[in-house]
Amino acid sequence: MTSRFNGRTAALVPLALVGVTVLAGCAQGSATTTTGADGKTVVRYMNFTSNDGHEKDLDTIVAAYEKENPDVDVQVETIPYADYFTKLQTAFAGKTVADVVDLNYENFVSYAESGALAPLEDVDAAPYKDTLLESFTHDGTQYGLPSSYSNVVLYYNKALFDAAGLEYPTADWTWADEQAAATALTDTAAGVYGDFQPVTFHEFYKVLDQAGGQFFTEDGSASAFDSPEGVKAATWLVTKPGTVMPTEADGSSTPDFDKDLFSAGKLGMWHSGIWMFDALSQVEGLDWDIVVEPGDASKASALFTNGVAVTAASKEKEAAQDFAEFLTVSPTAVDTRLASSWELPPVADEEALAPYLEQTPPANRQAVLDALDTVALPPVLAAQQEMQDAINEELSNAAAGRKTVEQALTDAAARVDQLLG
């Protein structure tokens, strides 16, 4: 398996984009008391991933860990995602941070660079999918462990393909294959479109990787996406609206527009995440399946992953790491996640994932795992949101015809270079 590095650091992808400025000296000081009144070792875990529906699932995993480790008391603090990173930063600053904390990709990079996280010692890599485990390394050191992931695949409407006399997409498809099918499927008079792929930062860095380009130079000192490969990638995105895909004027930027269009049987192909499986499976009469997204120079799939890390301030690093490993890849954790559809566990053993693969629809759930073989990694800056906004705005300018693709990328690169300083 390979992991394609597209960003400034050796890591993977975001669950959500939250700019984090890590407080100076946040790795100094110590966490709170590590021994309970009953003499047990206390491991404190601060998380957002179980909030809003999976609190009992986390309780199940914690109870199983404490049963196997009766001398350890795991104390859980669950915080809504909207408040989590503010409270985490405050805890670091106040030297009250927990032993184990949840982090998504961008925040992991920020905290790892600051020295706030403890290196993990002698992690058994065998249970983990290697591309996911690699996502939580920094400068060659394992500073975190993946806890769950979702990814992006190509959905397709089988009935529309049948009506058009087209073969279904396969894992060998290229952009050219997708474009030909999208053109054949599009019937604007009937309100049917062949394709839907958002013209956004998240799609751009991925298709840039598919085209064989890089977002930054090798040393990370400047942008590199205003290249022939970048022009090809941006052109692939911006020429879809108004041809094989609805435009913003058609409402394509409104919430759930793409999901509703696909659910109504009016969309032939759709680039979206696996979190849509449950909703689509409830649409009566909708015949659909998935495949790994087509590539150009190579394959590259976007993932959204959460992880856990042990804080440098922890006084119980060994116990904290032991709990983190149990939380991420123990049989209890895997079974609990699969039973409750709490994202996917980061395990390499496909036998453990058999219950997930056997569920339908979609029939080709194997594509979810196959997409992990080659992943696109996002560019990361301290000014993350500003970088995304610059890319989104310039891509929008190109899609609307206000600028050529070349000019839009030149202007976007200049704006990103300013953020690099």
Side-chain angles (χ1 to χ4, degrees):
M1 299 175 190
T2 58
S3 179
R4 297 179 54 79
F5 289 81
N6 198 3
R8 301 177 65 211
T9 51
L12 194 65
V13 294
L15 172 68
L17 294 169
V18 180
V20 173
T21 302
V22 181
L23 297 177
C26 65
Q28 304 303 313
S30 60
T32 54
T33 303
T34 61
T35 304
D38 54 4
K40 293 184 178 182
T41 297
V42 174
V43 172
R44 297 170 58 234
Y45 172 43
M46 181 176 175
N47 83 99
F48 64 83
T49 52
S50 71
N51 178 245
D52 197 23
H54 291 287
E55 294 88 348
K56 290 184 178 179
D57 297 321
L58 178 56
D59 289 345
T60 297
I61 298 171
V62 169
Y65 179 78
E66 291 180 333
K67 184 176 181 180
E68 290 188 15
N69 299 272
D71 57 338
V72 178
D73 176 20
V74 178
Q75 298 180 358
V76 174
E77 181 181 11
T78 300
I79 298 171
Y81 181 80
D83 302 324
Y84 179 82
F85 288 101
T86 298
K87 291 191 176 183
L88 180 63
Q89 195 171 32
T90 299
F92 270 114
K95 301 178 181 179
T96 59
V97 70
D99 301 284
V100 180
V101 295
D102 276 356
L103 293 171
N104 58 22
Y105 170 65
E106 289 86 351
N107 293 293
F108 164 75
V109 171
S110 298
Y111 281 107
E113 288 182 343
S114 76
L117 307 181
L120 302 182
E121 303 292 340
D122 300 321
V123 173
D124 180 6
Y128 295 91
K129 191 77 171 180
D130 55 0
T131 48
L132 296 177
L133 184 63
E134 183 182 358
S135 69
F136 289 94
T137 62
H138 183 69
D139 288 341
T141 299
Q142 197 77 47
Y143 282 104
L145 300 172
S147 58
S148 66
Y149 74 94
S150 297
N151 57 9
V152 175
V153 293
L154 182 70
Y155 290 75
Y156 63 94
N157 183 306
K158 297 172 73 173
L160 290 178
F161 271 80
D162 290 341
L166 299 174
E167 296 291 330
Y168 297 151
T170 70
D172 297 325
W173 263 28
T174 65
W175 288 359
D177 296 315
E178 182 179 341
Q179 179 61 39
T183 300
L185 290 164
T186 299
D187 182 356
T188 55
V192 175
Y193 293 90
D195 208 350
F196 196 106
Q197 185 168 20
V199 184
T200 63
F201 165 84
H202 293 295
E203 292 299 320
F204 177 65
Y205 80 74
K206 177 181 65 180
V207 299
L208 175 66
D209 206 339
Q210 292 172 356
Q214 292 183 225
F215 199 94
F216 291 117
T217 56
E218 291 294 339
D219 64 359
S221 63
S223 59
F225 56 80
D226 55 338
S227 61
E229 295 84 3
V231 170
K232 188 173 187 179
T235 301
W236 169 243
L237 291 178
V238 305
T239 55
K240 289 186 178 184
T243 56
V244 298
M245 171 179 158
T247 64
E248 288 190 13
D250 297 320
S252 65
S253 62
T254 58
D256 294 329
F257 179 91
D258 47 352
K259 177 179 74 70
D260 293 343
L261 194 66
F262 192 83
S263 298
K266 298 291 187 178
L267 183 57
M269 293 176 288
W270 181 30
H271 296 258
S272 191
I274 64 174
W275 49 86
M276 298 306 306
F277 287 0
D278 287 345
L280 293 179
S281 67
Q282 298 174 32
V283 180
E284 187 174 353
L286 184 65
D287 191 8
W288 59 280
D289 208 344
I290 64 166
V291 69
V292 175
E293 290 182 283
D296 184 55
S298 65
K299 292 283 189 179
S301 298
L303 287 87
F304 299 87
T305 183
N306 292 317
V308 292
V310 175
T311 58
S314 173
K315 291 182 178 179
E316 298 293 345
K317 292 182 177 64
E318 184 176 350
Q321 179 176 329
D322 188 63
F323 170 67
E325 293 180 19
F326 187 94
L327 177 67
T328 52
V329 290
S330 69
T332 298
V334 172
D335 293 345
T336 301
R337 284 189 174 279
L338 294 179
S340 63
S341 299
W342 185 14
E343 293 194 309
L344 286 173
V347 293
D349 181 7
E350 291 192 9
E351 288 188 11
L353 297 172
Y356 174 80
L357 295 174
E358 291 167 359
Q359 297 175 48
T360 59
N364 186 30
R365 289 191 179 227
Q366 181 64 41
V368 176
L369 305 186
D370 293 343
L372 295 177
D373 288 347
T374 309
V375 299
L377 308 177
V380 178
L381 288 181
Q384 186 72 20
Q385 191 61 54
E386 292 92 331
M387 178 176 66
Q388 290 178 210
D389 290 345
I391 299 297
N392 287 338
E393 182 179 338
E394 297 300 346
L395 287 176
S396 180
N397 285 334
R402 292 186 290 268
K403 295 182 181 180
T404 65
V405 170
E406 291 81 358
Q407 188 61 54
L409 289 186
T410 296
D411 293 346
R415 293 171 67 177
V416 171
D417 285 343
Q418 285 185 328
L419 297 174
L420 284 166

